[in-house]
Amino acid sequence: MRVLSKEYQEHLKKNEIYQFIVNHPKPDFKELEKECSAFENWISAEHKKEREHLREFANK
């Protein structure tokens, strides 16, 4: 296990990019999760339709 040295921790505290990342609020993925869920439902339905078409074609 690695341990951060005091010098390195002080360096990070002074680094504005690191501070931006640490102090920036976490992103909200609720909308993305809704879109993914809708896509999963849609693609499942499309696959089901395609399998039915393939069964019909195979039975001809």
Side-chain angles (χ1 to χ4, degrees), residues 38-52:
F39 177 76
E40 287 174 1
N41 293 336
W42 174 79
I43 200 74
S44 294
E46 291 298 315
H47 285 171
K48 184 177 180 182
K49 288 179 194 175
E50 188 173 341
R51 285 191 300 272
E52 289 173 6

Side-chain angles (χ1 to χ4, degrees), residues 9-49:
Q9 288 177 353
E10 289 300 319
H11 175 72
L12 286 178
K13 286 181 184 177
K14 294 176 186 174
N15 188 320
E16 67 181 72
I17 296 171
Y18 177 77
Q19 289 302 316
F20 176 78
I21 293 170
V22 170
N23 296 323
H24 197 33
K26 293 185 180 182
D28 184 16
F29 292 114
K30 290 178 187 173
E31 186 65 30
L32 180 62
E33 289 171 356
K34 287 179 188 175
E35 291 176 9
C36 288
S37 177
F39 177 76
E40 287 174 1
N41 293 336
W42 174 79
I43 200 74
S44 294
E46 291 298 315
H47 285 171
K48 184 177 180 182
K49 288 179 194 175

